[in-house]
Amino acid sequence: MSATHQLGKVVVTGKIPQPGLDLLIGADHTVVSWDDETAIGRDELLRRVVGADVIVSLLTEKIDAELLDAAGPQLRAVCNVAVGYNNIDVPACRERGVIATNTPGVLTDATADIAMALVLMTTRRLAEGERLIRSREPWQWGMFMMLGTGLQGARLGLVGMGQIGTALARRAKSFGMTIGYSNRRPVDPAIADELDAEYLSLDELLATSDVVSLHCPYSPETHHLIGPAQLTSMRNTAFLINTARGPVVDEAALVAALERGELAGAGLDVFEKEPEVHHGLLDRDDVVLIPHLGSATVETRTAMATLAARNALAILAGQGPVTPIG
Ligand code: DGY
């Protein structure tokens, strides 16, 4: 044990893969974990965090000023088991000197895979076809049956070109798509060259893409980034894919735009009022809906849990966090 290493109390707010938990337990800290797959209730969480030195948090828990204060002034860190951190009030953490960390990098491929799967599912009508088979209705091969849209030569427009956007661009390029992106700033020229990716304004991107995929973090600036005007400006043959955060899209406006035929379909992994899904989406055949599965592989969730645990241990050992937010 180093001179600065003091045993602490780590509160884990939900069930995480065992290797992550084992890392914490193996370091001899007092680990209080919620081992049920159902999210811990707010009252129970407020009780459990009292005296915590580190909170290892899941997306389902809101880490706000009330919770930080309930933990107490000894709290040193909140380590999210997710790359997105819109469940954490980061300014409230900063005001209290609490370090916040997330898990970038380890879920890039899994999330890009799911985004590519949604691109294929929407453009090739895969969920619709599967529903047809399961309906037990008679069907037979037909020249014009369930025709989709090919990806070869189509343009993918990425809103946000961080690690996940870039990983999706690589996949899409191998399917023959061309790449456009909007981002706060242009990407490294080596990546732009590799992908032959064109830097565009959001307006240009929406007007010229065949598939628009969202990869920006959720913040007040990106709330309803895709609203009525943006949806109207898309090609009526285009598809919208969202594996980022639900509230980046105005869901009511999306339903209305689909109704009016302003776009051809959508593939959604995340929802504005998750886990609620806008009723107007549920019966539409032009929409593919999956329950926030972006990082849902055994390998990825294990890597996320162990990275969050490594952050917690580093902070408790008086070292800098491995992957701090901001
Ligand atoms: C994240 O990490 O932000 C994903 O949405 C869930 O893994």
Side-chain angles (χ1 to χ4, degrees):
M1 200 188 311
S2 77
T4 49
H5 186 118
Q6 289 183 337
L7 294 184
K9 174 178 172 181
V10 181
V11 174
V12 186
T13 73
K15 190 170 166 68
I16 61 170
Q18 198 60 38
L21 207 54
D22 287 346
L23 269 184
L24 296 168
I25 294 167
D28 286 337
H29 296 291
T30 304
V31 179
V32 179
S33 63
W34 179 255
D35 294 328
D36 201 305
E37 282 195 38
T38 318
I40 189 172
R42 179 75 177 177
D43 291 346
E44 180 64 27
L45 182 60
L46 284 168
R47 266 195 300 279
R48 283 185 180 229
V49 295
V50 175
D53 296 285
V54 174
I55 299 173
V56 174
S57 54
L58 268 58
L59 275 185
T60 36
E61 274 66 60
K62 205 171 153 104
I63 310 296
D64 55 9
E66 181 193 34
L67 194 99
L68 298 170
D69 290 340
Q74 77 299 325
L75 182 67
R76 292 159 74 177
V78 174
C79 303
N80 220 28
V81 190
V83 67
Y85 48 85
N86 53 304
N87 59 315
I88 302 178
D89 183 341
V90 176
C93 286
R94 282 204 191 106
E95 279 161 25
R96 289 161 181 76
V98 172
I99 299 166
T101 68
N102 64 343
T103 60
V106 294
L107 43 72
T108 301
D109 285 325
T111 309
D113 287 348
I114 278 284
M116 194 67 220
L118 284 173
V119 173
L120 289 163
M121 287 180 80
T122 48
T123 55
R124 298 300 300 273
R125 304 173 62 177
L126 298 182
E128 197 185 338
E130 218 246 358
R131 279 194 297 276
L132 172 66
I133 302 268
R134 287 181 189 274
S135 75
R136 295 177 168 75
E137 291 293 319
W139 67 276
Q140 64 177 8
W141 184 91
M143 183 65 79
F144 298 99
M145 184 197 175
M146 266 193 194
L147 300 187
T149 307
L151 297 180
Q152 295 68 37
R155 169 173 276 202
L156 172 66
L158 296 149
V159 180
M161 189 71 163
Q163 296 186 52
I164 297 172
T166 304
L168 176 60
R170 291 200 174 102
R171 284 156 176 74
K173 202 165 156 51
S174 74
F175 278 79
M177 298 187 83
T178 64
I179 311 296
Y181 73 98
S182 70
N183 202 35
R184 266 173 303 189
R185 61 189 80 86
V187 294
D188 184 320
I191 292 178
D193 283 353
E194 172 204 333
L195 296 167
D196 201 8
E198 191 180 355
Y199 185 49
L200 302 166
S201 68
L202 180 60
D203 288 348
E204 287 167 332
L205 179 139
L206 292 169
T208 59
S209 297
D210 299 297
V211 178
V212 173
S213 189
L214 307 178
H215 300 283
C216 52
Y218 178 64
S219 69
E221 293 77 53
T222 59
H223 180 80
H224 285 188
L225 181 70
I226 305 299
Q230 290 71 30
L231 291 159
T232 302
S233 72
M234 285 175 67
R235 292 179 168 174
N236 56 16
T237 49
F239 296 86
L240 177 70
I241 307 297
N242 190 5
T243 53
R245 282 292 181 268
V248 175
V249 176
D250 178 341
E251 240 170 52
L254 173 61
V255 171
L258 287 164
E259 280 294 314
R260 289 194 294 267
E262 288 175 358
L263 67 162
L268 308 174
D269 183 41
V270 288
F271 302 92
E272 191 172 348
K273 297 192 178 120
E274 211 169 295
E276 219 178 281
V277 177
H278 193 292
H279 59 89
L281 295 170
L282 291 170
D283 294 324
R284 298 197 65 89
D285 267 336
D286 52 5
V287 171
V288 175
L289 309 167
I290 55 171
H292 204 149
L293 297 178
S295 64
T297 68
V298 173
E299 300 82 355
T300 302
R301 290 282 163 82
T302 301
M304 291 162 71
T306 52
L307 179 53
R310 283 173 50 221
N311 270 300
L313 294 179
I315 292 160
L316 284 165
Q319 300 156 2
V322 186
T323 48
I325 289 170

